[in-house]
Amino acid sequence: MSRIVIALALSGFSLVVAQSPGATPPQASSPAASVASLKQDLVIADRILFDEEFLDTAGHVSVRLAPDRFLMPWRRAPELIVAEDLMEYDLDGNVADAKGRPLILERFIHSEIYRARPDVRAIVHGHTPSLVMFSSSNIPLRPLFSGAGFIGQSVPAFKNGDAGGGVQSADLGRKLAEAMGKGGAVLMRGHGVVVAAPSLVALVQRAISLDTNAQLVARLLSMGDKEPMYIRPNPAGGAADAAGGAGGNNSREWEAYKRRAEMLMKRN
Amino acid sequence: MSRIVIALALSGFSLVVAQSPGATPPQASSPAASVASLKQDLVIADRILFDEEFLDTAGHVSVRLAPDRFLMPWRRAPELIVAEDLMEYDLDGNVADAKGRPLILERFIHSEIYRARPDVRAIVHGHTPSLVMFSSSNIPLRPLFSGAGFIGQSVPAFKNGDAGGGVQSADLGRKLAEAMGKGGAVLMRGHGVVVAAPSLVALVQRAISLDTNAQLVARLLSMGDKEPMYIRPNPAGGAADAAGGAGGNNSREWEAYKRRAEMLMKRN
Amino acid sequence: MSRIVIALALSGFSLVVAQSPGATPPQASSPAASVASLKQDLVIADRILFDEEFLDTAGHVSVRLAPDRFLMPWRRAPELIVAEDLMEYDLDGNVADAKGRPLILERFIHSEIYRARPDVRAIVHGHTPSLVMFSSSNIPLRPLFSGAGFIGQSVPAFKNGDAGGGVQSADLGRKLAEAMGKGGAVLMRGHGVVVAAPSLVALVQRAISLDTNAQLVARLLSMGDKEPMYIRPNPAGGAADAAGGAGGNNSREWEAYKRRAEMLMKRN
Amino acid sequence: MSRIVIALALSGFSLVVAQSPGATPPQASSPAASVASLKQDLVIADRILFDEEFLDTAGHVSVRLAPDRFLMPWRRAPELIVAEDLMEYDLDGNVADAKGRPLILERFIHSEIYRARPDVRAIVHGHTPSLVMFSSSNIPLRPLFSGAGFIGQSVPAFKNGDAGGGVQSADLGRKLAEAMGKGGAVLMRGHGVVVAAPSLVALVQRAISLDTNAQLVARLLSMGDKEPMYIRPNPAGGAADAAGGAGGNNSREWEAYKRRAEMLMKRN
């Protein structure tokens, strides 16, 4: 958890948090959500997913801004992202004016999923160890607890050659989106994972729950359990239950995440 | 352990700690215990169980205030709880005046166990990974070391459907209490765990010991040990031995927990 | 590692560290070692072993002061120990004037090993999870890397009944010392572990190495390795190699441990 | 991650970082790289590899300064290293003027690999638990994800006797270099690991990736996976993909590592 000390204690972020109204749940999925509000929530998502060790220095989170545009940083480590690092990418992976900053090479993961999935409003790509592990195995990753119900029967896998390479073209992005289908996650063989959700808050919960679920399935099988009691898939829900609550009360989690940031900022 | 930095370094808590007398063991089980003292200990229990990673942002701790009432927060993350967040719930899960704050949806876990178990004075519900794992397995969770003797032969499990849902009604609460029986813990299939104890101090020790015990049993079985040397159950005791001491000298642990909080508060 | 923030950032310790000469290796085994110097090193050992998660709130470290006396704290958590908490225990486990402070219940572990083993100058008793695990298994704990060579062919185990109880009498202490024999460690069934060494610096290295060795043996066996390549036991050495160095140059480690404390003290 | 608090928050390091130009990627492999720049990057590598728990108090990192000379500290813990601790070693392991400071006993690991491998510009030797584990097993350590492609088909192992001893002579160094061959890593039976790379940035990525790869292979095998889907080896590359990116854009990682140091320095 101390990663948050590193993830959040950087100048620039304080302003973002300062703009944030107390514990009001973000309206990422509301048409009224302002760009500033979306940027603020995206920065929090980046920092929290780094803090929770879902992201390393090379993962990335994005949020849909409009049917044909999404917000995502330039090629910078999640632990360093501030609002000013966010740019508008279109569905071809282009940015009108990047101000000389390099684009994320795997931006096509995001652009092609947003193109294929109108219901998706937020996406994260990471190289989370527990999920890289399942991406390299034929053992299916199935939902073990309520928070992971969103993955359905099991998480599908996309294979880009046999060297564990990433997705750096629109063509590969389309194939990845096809592999994901209508689900909320897809594994990338020998490389990582992609999680998609209807909002940034749901995305953070789904990502954390999927990582935990992978670790628990691995440990159960290691114990010699031949028949883990997997739960009934709940593709529509899941995220809402990720924190053990119900009815999608994400505000409890979001307040905690924001407060962690505010408290830590005070210490730097 | 650094979670405590996040868990405790929030304004408001300093006052609570300030009210606390040095290393005097809390008198949670004494009829003379004041409400203020119980609130103070409940806040410490919430922060410590978050710090020890037994609780995530959605767990909750409660303490019995009277035969028909108990203290518990409104629906807020344990890492943020201060005395002012605590409200008096009755055994039907009602609060006279919640001041517009949402109640914990799974409050019936607490109300029904307090109703069925006069001997129980403190309860915690969490989604602790190692215990969610055992909740999804037919492999019994048995006591491996002194601190976990309180669980008896093995921890019973309660199943609420097949989607890993929580307990959000008095009826489900009653069934959960029945599943727990006279023991100190019960697993919730695909969801989490509930631990009960005669005091808040014993609760914290039991919760931490149960988590450790689950991790060790899982690792022993993974090693290929066909016959782990489980200990003789000690339902009445256990908590007292959780820290390796004896005779229930919980003050050593409580002093350490309070000091962690005080020291960390100084740094913010 | 962040446990050190909690373990060391307490007033009183700064003075102890202040007394300490830069990176000069402690002379724990030298007859010229002053009581003040031994107390300083004992405090550092307590804090570092807590920081390294070998000790919980209930473990204890002691150092021999004379053939018939040793220094050890009253019943207080290692993370809180300062020089003023240390008292002189004799080989019957008595303290001339404890100033009303409770003695450690398991003091007989120390007194009887010092009585039986003139070569032992430092002892630690902990409830380290990885070692509690091996204490409850018939799978032998054998040395896998250089730092653990001191354990010999495997770590013997002492069983005190079948409830995982501790050692709280001279009689049990004698039996524990017999079980340890001439070795450097002994497991306590369902309870914990005891490590002994010729100096406090060697003790810290041996304790950390034994914990790591237990974790690695468990993981190797879990992988399905039927024939781990254990090393040739090196009862006399071991400690010196614990840090991968040789010739017993413990100063490198001790300087680092002291500096961690000094740096962290500055932050509080 | 909190180890970085300990690793970097020491006076002296701030100056090193201060010398460092924003997020400019280090030119370790450029003939124009100044000694000061190499020293700065070596200090960062030492601190980050300690922070990432690849190094304990006894590991060491070196960088080639010229065909017949390399920079490495005197025998001091990586968490304490500052530029002033770095000395010029020749390929016989000698230092012109050590100013009375003890040399690293295992310096021959570095000198002999630099002698045998003109392509190697940076080397690290550590006692990383997951790699010590594989060093004691006949189970091959093969590449599971893109970042570990640099190890080839599997990591070779060097055995120095049966006591897990280190490499403290030129003769043993030569044999270790032979065991490594043309690869990027070699295991040392019962002792540790050595990783080599064309630059310090690549070295840090390779070391972190190899540790992660070892942990994931161990967990996959523990799950009972009989046929993990290892990737196609990529000896030349690997490092560039370690962070999940491509084309060797190491600047993203290096900026993050530098910023972690700068931020933490501000807090002390």
Side-chain angles (χ1 to χ4, degrees):
Chain A
M1 291 293 295
S2 65
R3 289 183 67 168
I4 201 170
V5 175
I6 295 159
L8 291 159
L10 294 168
S11 58
F13 189 56
S14 56
L15 296 178
V16 174
V17 174
Q19 297 165 13
S20 142
T24 308
Q27 304 301 322
S29 60
S30 149
S34 72
V35 173
S37 173
L38 280 177
K39 285 186 174 181
Q40 164 197 302
D41 293 334
L42 178 51
V43 169
I44 292 173
D46 254 323
R47 306 301 183 104
I48 295 297
L49 288 178
F50 175 79
D51 174 51
E52 295 285 344
E53 302 190 23
F54 183 89
L55 292 178
D56 57 13
T57 52
H60 22 89
V61 179
S62 70
V63 63
R64 188 192 290 268
L65 186 62
D68 63 352
R69 297 198 314 291
F70 61 96
L71 288 170
M72 189 162 69
W74 57 285
R75 191 196 299 160
R76 196 175 205 197
E79 70 196 86
L80 301 181
I81 300 302
V82 291
E84 294 61 37
D85 293 316
L86 303 176
M87 311 191 292
E88 290 190 25
Y89 288 75
D90 63 29
L91 298 193
D92 293 322
N94 298 323
V95 171
D97 177 13
K99 301 173 183 170
R101 299 178 295 189
L103 304 188
I104 288 175
L105 296 172
E106 296 189 279
R107 59 192 180 277
F108 304 103
I109 289 173
H110 303 258
S111 59
E112 294 305 322
I113 290 177
Y114 283 125
R115 189 196 303 277
R117 294 280 301 275
D119 60 307
V120 171
R121 287 176 173 279
I123 298 170
V124 59
H125 167 50
H127 314 93
T128 321
S130 63
L131 297 164
V132 166
M133 178 176 69
F134 272 96
S135 81
S136 300
S137 176
N138 284 309
I139 296 175
L141 177 52
R142 300 182 53 188
L144 199 63
F145 70 101
S146 53
F150 79 93
I151 66 179
Q153 287 297 335
S154 70
V155 184
F158 168 71
K159 183 169 186 174
N160 172 23
D162 59 0
V167 164
Q168 299 175 24
S169 71
D171 179 58
L172 284 172
R174 273 190 293 276
K175 290 171 177 164
L176 174 73
E178 285 168 18
M180 175 181 252
K182 299 185 181 305
V186 60
L187 297 172
M188 296 166 71
R189 292 277 165 90
H191 184 85
V193 64
V194 176
V195 178
S199 75
L200 278 166
V201 174
L203 183 74
V204 171
Q205 290 193 336
R206 286 184 168 193
I208 294 171
S209 296
L210 183 60
D211 183 13
T212 300
N213 192 81
Q215 293 183 43
L216 297 186
V217 169
R219 289 166 61 188
L220 254 189
L221 296 177
S222 297
M223 280 170 66
D225 189 329
K226 302 302 183 187
E227 296 180 339
M229 292 181 283
Y230 295 109
I231 64 168
R232 173 167 48 77
N234 179 17
D241 298 328
N249 65 315
N250 296 322
S251 62
R252 173 169 51 184
E253 284 61 53
W254 211 245
E255 179 198 14
Y257 294 151
K258 284 184 179 177
R259 290 292 299 277
R260 286 183 196 176
E262 293 164 352
M263 181 279 297
L264 287 161
M265 289 309 303
K266 285 189 299 186
R267 302 175 51 238
N268 287 276
Chain B
M1 291 294 295
S2 65
R3 289 182 69 168
I4 202 170
V5 176
I6 294 159
L8 291 159
L10 294 168
S11 59
F13 189 57
S14 55
L15 297 177
V16 174
V17 174
Q19 296 164 14
S20 143
T24 307
Q27 304 302 322
S29 60
S30 151
S34 72
V35 173
S37 174
L38 279 177
K39 285 187 174 180
Q40 165 197 302
D41 293 334
L42 178 51
V43 169
I44 292 173
D46 254 323
R47 306 303 183 101
I48 294 297
L49 288 177
F50 175 79
D51 174 51
E52 295 285 345
E53 302 189 26
F54 183 89
L55 293 178
D56 57 13
T57 52
H60 22 90
V61 179
S62 70
V63 63
R64 189 192 288 270
L65 186 61
D68 62 352
R69 298 199 313 291
F70 60 96
L71 288 170
M72 188 161 71
W74 56 285
R75 190 196 300 159
R76 196 175 205 196
E79 70 196 86
L80 301 181
I81 299 302
V82 290
E84 294 62 38
D85 293 316
L86 303 176
M87 309 192 294
E88 288 190 26
Y89 288 74
D90 63 28
L91 299 192
D92 293 322
N94 298 322
V95 171
D97 177 12
K99 299 174 183 172
R101 298 177 295 189
L103 304 188
I104 289 175
L105 296 172
E106 295 189 281
R107 58 191 179 278
F108 305 102
I109 290 173
H110 304 258
S111 59
E112 295 305 324
I113 290 176
Y114 283 125
R115 188 196 304 276
R117 294 280 301 274
D119 60 307
V120 170
R121 286 176 173 280
I123 298 171
V124 59
H125 167 50
H127 314 95
T128 321
S130 64
L131 297 164
V132 166
M133 178 176 70
F134 272 96
S135 81
S136 299
S137 176
N138 283 310
I139 295 174
L141 177 53
R142 301 181 54 189
L144 199 63
F145 70 102
S146 54
F150 78 93
I151 64 179
Q153 288 297 335
S154 69
V155 184
F158 168 71
K159 184 168 185 175
N160 173 23
D162 59 0
V167 165
Q168 300 175 23
S169 73
D171 178 58
L172 284 173
R174 274 189 292 277
K175 289 171 177 163
L176 175 71
E178 285 169 17
M180 175 181 252
K182 298 186 181 304
V186 60
L187 298 172
M188 296 166 71
R189 292 277 164 90
H191 184 84
V193 66
V194 176
V195 178
S199 74
L200 279 166
V201 175
L203 184 75
V204 171
Q205 290 194 336
R206 285 184 169 193
I208 294 171
S209 296
L210 183 59
D211 183 13
T212 300
N213 193 81
Q215 294 182 43
L216 297 186
V217 169
R219 288 165 63 187
L220 254 189
L221 295 177
S222 297
M223 279 171 66
D225 189 329
K226 303 301 183 187
E227 297 180 339
M229 292 181 282
Y230 295 108
I231 65 169
R232 173 166 48 78
N234 179 16
D241 297 329
N249 65 315
N250 296 321
S251 63
R252 173 169 52 185
E253 283 60 53
W254 211 245
E255 179 198 14
Y257 293 151
K258 284 184 179 176
R259 290 292 300 277
R260 286 184 196 176
E262 293 164 353
M263 181 278 297
L264 287 161
M265 289 308 303
K266 285 189 299 185
R267 302 175 50 238
N268 286 275
Chain C
M1 291 292 296
S2 65
R3 290 182 68 167
I4 202 170
V5 175
I6 294 159
L8 290 158
L10 294 168
S11 60
F13 188 57
S14 54
L15 297 177
V16 174
V17 174
Q19 296 166 14
S20 143
T24 307
Q27 304 300 322
S29 59
S30 151
S34 73
V35 174
S37 174
L38 279 177
K39 285 186 173 180
Q40 165 197 300
D41 292 335
L42 179 50
V43 169
I44 292 173
D46 254 322
R47 306 302 183 101
I48 293 297
L49 288 177
F50 175 79
D51 174 52
E52 295 285 345
E53 301 190 25
F54 183 89
L55 292 178
D56 58 13
T57 52
H60 21 89
V61 179
S62 70
V63 63
R64 189 192 289 268
L65 187 61
D68 62 351
R69 298 200 313 291
F70 60 95
L71 289 171
M72 187 162 71
W74 57 285
R75 191 196 300 158
R76 196 174 205 196
E79 69 196 84
L80 301 180
I81 300 302
V82 290
E84 294 62 37
D85 293 316
L86 303 176
M87 309 191 294
E88 289 190 25
Y89 288 74
D90 63 28
L91 298 192
D92 293 322
N94 298 321
V95 171
D97 177 13
K99 299 173 182 171
R101 300 178 294 189
L103 304 187
I104 288 174
L105 296 172
E106 295 189 280
R107 58 192 179 278
F108 305 101
I109 289 173
H110 304 257
S111 59
E112 294 304 324
I113 290 176
Y114 284 124
R115 189 197 302 278
R117 294 279 302 274
D119 59 306
V120 171
R121 287 176 172 280
I123 298 171
V124 60
H125 167 50
H127 314 94
T128 321
S130 63
L131 297 164
V132 166
M133 178 176 70
F134 271 96
S135 81
S136 300
S137 177
N138 284 309
I139 296 175
L141 177 52
R142 300 182 53 189
L144 199 63
F145 69 102
S146 54
F150 79 93
I151 65 178
Q153 287 297 334
S154 69
V155 184
F158 168 70
K159 183 168 186 175
N160 172 23
D162 59 0
V167 165
Q168 299 175 22
S169 72
D171 178 57
L172 284 173
R174 274 189 294 276
K175 289 171 177 163
L176 174 72
E178 284 168 18
M180 175 181 254
K182 299 185 181 305
V186 61
L187 298 171
M188 295 166 71
R189 291 278 164 89
H191 183 84
V193 64
V194 176
V195 178
S199 74
L200 278 166
V201 174
L203 184 74
V204 171
Q205 290 193 334
R206 285 184 170 194
I208 294 172
S209 296
L210 183 60
D211 183 12
T212 299
N213 193 81
Q215 292 182 43
L216 296 186
V217 169
R219 288 165 64 187
L220 254 188
L221 296 177
S222 297
M223 280 170 65
D225 189 330
K226 302 302 183 187
E227 297 181 339
M229 292 181 282
Y230 295 108
I231 65 169
R232 172 167 48 79
N234 179 16
D241 297 329
N249 68 313
N250 296 321
S251 62
R252 173 168 53 184
E253 284 60 52
W254 212 245
E255 179 197 15
Y257 293 150
K258 285 184 178 176
R259 290 292 300 277
R260 285 184 197 177
E262 294 164 351
M263 182 278 296
L264 287 162
M265 289 309 303
K266 286 188 300 185
R267 301 176 51 237
N268 286 275
Chain D
M1 292 293 295
S2 66
R3 289 182 67 167
I4 202 170
V5 175
I6 294 159
L8 291 158
L10 294 168
S11 59
F13 188 57
S14 55
L15 296 177
V16 174
V17 174
Q19 297 166 12
S20 144
T24 307
Q27 305 300 323
S29 60
S30 150
S34 72
V35 173
S37 174
L38 280 177
K39 285 186 174 181
Q40 164 197 299
D41 292 335
L42 179 51
V43 169
I44 292 174
D46 254 322
R47 306 302 183 103
I48 293 298
L49 288 177
F50 175 79
D51 174 51
E52 295 285 343
E53 301 189 24
F54 182 89
L55 292 178
D56 56 13
T57 52
H60 22 89
V61 178
S62 70
V63 63
R64 187 191 291 269
L65 186 61
D68 62 352
R69 297 198 314 291
F70 61 95
L71 288 170
M72 188 161 70
W74 56 285
R75 191 194 301 158
R76 195 175 205 197
E79 70 196 85
L80 301 180
I81 300 302
V82 291
E84 293 61 37
D85 293 316
L86 303 176
M87 310 191 293
E88 289 190 26
Y89 288 75
D90 63 29
L91 299 192
D92 293 321
N94 299 322
V95 171
D97 177 14
K99 300 173 183 173
R101 300 178 294 189
L103 304 188
I104 289 175
L105 296 172
E106 295 189 280
R107 58 192 179 278
F108 305 102
I109 290 173
H110 303 258
S111 59
E112 294 304 324
I113 290 177
Y114 283 125
R115 189 196 303 277
R117 294 279 302 274
D119 60 307
V120 170
R121 287 175 172 280
I123 298 171
V124 59
H125 167 50
H127 314 95
T128 321
S130 63
L131 297 163
V132 166
M133 178 176 70
F134 271 97
S135 82
S136 300
S137 176
N138 283 309
I139 296 175
L141 177 52
R142 300 181 53 187
L144 199 62
F145 69 101
S146 53
F150 79 92
I151 65 179
Q153 287 297 336
S154 70
V155 184
F158 167 71
K159 184 168 186 175
N160 172 23
D162 59 1
V167 164
Q168 299 175 23
S169 72
D171 179 57
L172 284 173
R174 273 189 294 276
K175 289 171 178 165
L176 174 72
E178 285 168 18
M180 175 181 252
K182 299 185 180 307
V186 59
L187 298 171
M188 295 166 72
R189 290 279 164 89
H191 184 84
V193 65
V194 176
V195 178
S199 75
L200 278 167
V201 174
L203 183 75
V204 171
Q205 290 193 335
R206 286 184 169 193
I208 294 171
S209 296
L210 183 60
D211 183 13
T212 299
N213 193 80
Q215 293 182 44
L216 296 186
V217 169
R219 289 167 61 189
L220 254 189
L221 296 177
S222 297
M223 281 170 66
D225 189 329
K226 302 302 183 186
E227 295 181 340
M229 292 181 282
Y230 295 108
I231 64 169
R232 172 166 48 78
N234 179 16
D241 297 330
N249 65 315
N250 296 323
S251 62
R252 172 168 54 183
E253 284 61 52
W254 211 246
E255 179 197 16
Y257 294 149
K258 285 183 178 176
R259 289 293 299 276
R260 285 184 196 177
E262 293 164 352
M263 182 277 296
L264 286 162
M265 289 308 303
K266 286 189 298 185
R267 301 175 51 237
N268 287 275

